[in-house]
Amino acid sequence: MVSPPQVFDPRRLRHVFGAFPSGVAAVAAVVDGAPVGLVVSSFTSVSLDPPLVSVCVAHTSGTWPVLAGAPRLGLSILSAEQERHGRQLAGRSVDRFAELSWRATDDGAVLLDGASGWLETSVDQQVRAGDHDIVVLRVHDLDADHDISPLVFHASQFRRIER
Ligand SMILES: Cc1cc2nc3c(=O)[nH]c(=O)nc-3n(C[C@H](O)[C@H](O)[C@H](O)COP(=O)(O)O)c2cc1C
């Protein structure tokens, strides 16, 4: 007999998933002449050859369908000094890029100044997974500065790494 799928309280899922610390990345591109983006804690490296990374986006996201058609997406790994950027780029009914310093690549990927690292990517695959899509991104260019301490997201809070 096939057992029915296990159902969990979403708060319990968030509680346990949040025990795993992650970084915070801004995913952004210029669309119709203006920067568009959101922040994710689901950024993960996937493959070295070919170079691939992934993010998971909720089906409820209003921003992802706009970004998904962009030829290039910028991923900026937020620094410990960019907690405000993290909040602002997840905000609703706000100008997410107000007073943020950023640059666009020739192909329209948006990269935040002062990030710990950045990648210029394009969508390679999109796989439905429950209430999210796993978006696999191909890397076209990248750089990082390990002297710039990253922002950490743990237990639903922004934190810093103690040196
Ligand atoms: C720290 C942090 C991490 C987040 N991580 C994700 C994520 O991995 N995937 C996702 O779809 N949304 C994530 N969000 C939510 C989005 O940034 C955004 O708020 C959400 O997509 C709603 O905005 P939208 O409708 O404009 O997309 C995160 C928000 C915060 C503050």
Side-chain angles (χ1 to χ4, degrees), residues 38-42 56-58 60-63 90 92 96 153 158:
L38 76 168
V39 293
V40 297
S41 55
S42 53
C56 292
V57 283
T60 51
S61 170
T63 299
R92 294 183 191 272
R96 289 185 174 171
F153 195 60
F158 291 112

